[in-house]
Amino acid sequence: MPLARDVAEEVAKQYGVCIRPVPLKRLDTHTGLWEIIDVPCGATLEVKCLPCAKRNRHLRMAQCREGWHLDEEPTITPDEPNDEQRWLVEFRADVQAQRDQADQDTTDLDELIAGLDEEINAAGMRGNVLGRTVPKRNRSTRRRQDAPELPKRKMTATTLGRTFESADGKTYRPSLFVTLTLPSYGKVNNGVPVNPDTYDYARAARDALHFSKLVDRFVQNLRRVAGYDVQYFAAVEPQKRLAPHLHMAIRGTLPRAEIKQIAAATYHQVWWPATDRVVFDGDHLPVWEDGTGYLDPGTGEVLPTWDQALDQLDTDETAEPLHVIRFGVQVDVQGVLAGTPDADQCIRYLSKYLTKSLGDSLDPDDQAQRDHAARLAEALRFEPCSPNCPNWLRYGVQPKGAKPGMAPGQCRSKAHKPDHLGYAGRRVLVSRKWSNKTLAEHKQDRRTWVLEALGQTDQPTDPHRYVWKPVPAGDANVPPLAVRLLRSVHERQRWRAHMAQLQAQADAQDLSATGEAA
Ligand SMILES: [Zn+2]
Ligand SMILES: [Zn+2]
């Protein structure tokens, strides 16, 4: 009944209830009962619905506000794992088991595992559940990137910026709002290349793919120059010309000229095998042989593995990095004072696009812009997005973790999808000691607040009480989506009514207290 479902979705949206909930089976080991629990999509792998995107945006704004002008050093002590973290890890273990047993295409499971690993880190757990499974490559020293020529202050063990006293003894805590942009790829008019034939799409594509690495380098350099453990909250957003750019709230302040100097000196080299020669194309593609890997279909020769290709690169004295990425000359630096309208506006600005995907900024009626997006997508089609990208086969190299069924142009990573414009990284980048809390902890704050308001305490649960399992697609025990949505709406209504009642009681008490005082 599609109609009922549409109505249920509309109602759910009005109540801010997730419309793409993920059903999970939960075993309560105390009662021995299995139950199906709807987890909001925003709490799992990827935000897929507007209500969750909006809720996450509000959490992000709170997180940004709390961290920006901290006046006390954050204390980072690992907390007891919470429910969310626990089920993520258990879920991860389960998917790993499925992956290990699978004898078919594991692309979906691999994607899910990669997403879960990211999510596990985002939920405030550090490191990888499996630990490092492969020893880290030791690159030849020649390849190591030099720190650029920049002033360097002595490092002090603080994350707080300087404060200033005014003549009347007031303390000011200034901070920065920085916007970093990628270079020009050719003249644009209203976001569209004036001459698409000379616009450097290849460079635009590679810059987008490696943008997050450049941001990492910028932060490293920033800390070195600043001489303290600079903290930041940043959002990656699309520009009209469809290149990613970055808004960054920085705790503490530095001279504007130094920020510009750091941006100008920052670069990142991508030491990957060369892609200037297409070796396999069209119907002429490498073939898979079990136990061996990918072979040249003509000669039967085994293609170099990813590690062999990197070793080869290391021994080649004349090798150049595949790509070098730098920022453009446009760097905007704004000084901001704690608690001013300016600060609030920056926070709104930072979270402005968080409910949208990068590609959402496309105007569907603007043909010129759509053509521009299509040309960028084409440039990304055969560009390797990661060591695991099947596109490496096109250039005669076996992707890292090669497996049967790979073909160039068929990578399923987000980076190649039109929605992502080459950038597959996180939209919000927050340093570890920003607000003292992870997003999961900010969520936890809200939960605690609600429970307190309801007159219940947030009982610490037995860590081994619940066992979580994914629900197989088409499981007959999962009610239709419309039913589940309406159930969630009902819960939300009940909760709101209860809150209204508590508020009314509190108001009445205030009133009588005022009366007594009078
Ligand atoms: Zn949702
Ligand atoms: Zn790829």
Side-chain angles (χ1 to χ4, degrees), residues 364-381:
D365 294 329
D366 186 338
Q367 187 60 42
Q369 201 192 29
R370 272 186 16 220
D371 290 346
H372 175 46
R375 285 189 292 266
L376 180 63
E378 187 56 31
L380 284 160
R381 195 165 149 218

Side-chain angles (χ1 to χ4, degrees), residues 211-221 232 266 429:
F211 186 62
S212 52
K213 284 286 188 319
L214 185 66
V215 175
D216 286 349
R217 295 270 172 213
F218 175 78
V219 172
Q220 283 171 17
N221 291 335
Y232 62 91
T266 297
L429 311 167

Side-chain angles (χ1 to χ4, degrees), residues 271-328:
W271 283 103
W272 282 356
T275 59
D276 42 9
R277 203 169 63 91
V278 175
V279 186
F280 301 103
D281 193 17
D283 294 335
H284 179 63
L285 291 177
V287 287
W288 174 262
E289 193 179 277
D290 280 337
T292 311
Y294 280 96
L295 317 172
D296 184 314
T299 65
E301 223 177 304
V302 185
L303 305 189
T305 63
W306 176 253
D307 277 331
Q308 286 166 344
L310 285 194
D311 288 344
Q312 159 70 26
L313 194 66
D314 275 353
T315 52
D316 181 357
E317 290 292 322
T318 60
E320 298 278 328
L322 173 68
H323 187 57
V324 181
I325 170 173
R326 294 175 181 281
F327 291 113

Side-chain angles (χ1 to χ4, degrees), residues 57 105 116 145 155 258 267 276 296 318 334 367 386 397 418 440 480:
R57 179 168 169 253
D105 180 18
L116 274 168
Q145 293 196 34
M155 210 54 189
E258 273 186 10
Y267 66 95
D276 42 9
D296 184 314
T318 60
Q334 196 186 324
Q367 187 60 42
S386 71
V397 174

Side-chain angles (χ1 to χ4, degrees), residues 304-450:
T305 63
W306 176 253
D307 277 331
Q308 286 166 344
L310 285 194
D311 288 344
Q312 159 70 26
L313 194 66
D314 275 353
T315 52
D316 181 357
E317 290 292 322
T318 60
E320 298 278 328
L322 173 68
H323 187 57
V324 181
I325 170 173
R326 294 175 181 281
F327 291 113
V329 286
Q330 261 187 50
V331 180
D332 191 68
V333 187
Q334 196 186 324
V336 180
L337 283 175
T340 59
D342 267 2
D344 280 344
Q345 194 176 351
C346 289
I347 291 168
R348 273 198 302 277
Y349 203 65
L350 270 166
S351 55
K352 190 166 143 198
Y353 294 97
L354 292 186
T355 56
K356 294 179 175 169
S357 73
L358 288 181
D360 274 355
S361 57
L362 288 177
D363 176 357
D365 294 329
D366 186 338
Q367 187 60 42
Q369 201 192 29
R370 272 186 16 220
D371 290 346
H372 175 46
R375 285 189 292 266
L376 180 63
E378 187 56 31
L380 284 160
R381 195 165 149 218
F382 290 119
E383 194 62 51
C385 66
S386 71
N388 307 81
C389 187
N391 283 348
W392 284 113
L393 291 173
R394 181 176 171 87
Y395 309 105
V397 174
Q398 298 199 50
K400 190 176 169 187
K403 53 186 183 234
M406 289 180 137
Q410 290 181 22
C411 178
R412 294 175 67 179
S413 154
K414 282 192 264 179
H416 304 280
K417 294 190 175 145
D419 264 12
H420 289 266
L421 308 168
Y423 180 79
R426 294 194 153 265
R427 294 290 301 283
V428 177
L429 311 167
V430 191
S431 62
R432 206 160 70 82
K433 299 172 193 165
W434 174 258
S435 65
N436 236 348
K437 286 176 195 160
T438 63
L439 195 59
E441 286 169 315
H442 280 283
K443 277 185 196 166
Q444 193 62 33
D445 271 2
R446 203 181 39 178
R447 185 179 131 85
T448 308
W449 177 82
V450 170

Side-chain angles (χ1 to χ4, degrees), residues 3 26 78 108 119 132 168 187 242 254 263 276 291 304 312 341 346 412 415 419 426 489 492 503 507 510:
L3 196 61
R26 189 181 76 175
D108 283 340
E119 214 47 51
R132 190 175 277 283
D168 56 359
K187 204 168 178 222
L242 307 182
L254 262 79
D276 42 9
Q312 159 70 26
C346 289
R412 294 175 67 179
D419 264 12
R426 294 194 153 265
V489 168
R492 188 64 56 99
Q503 188 61 49
D507 289 349
D510 276 356

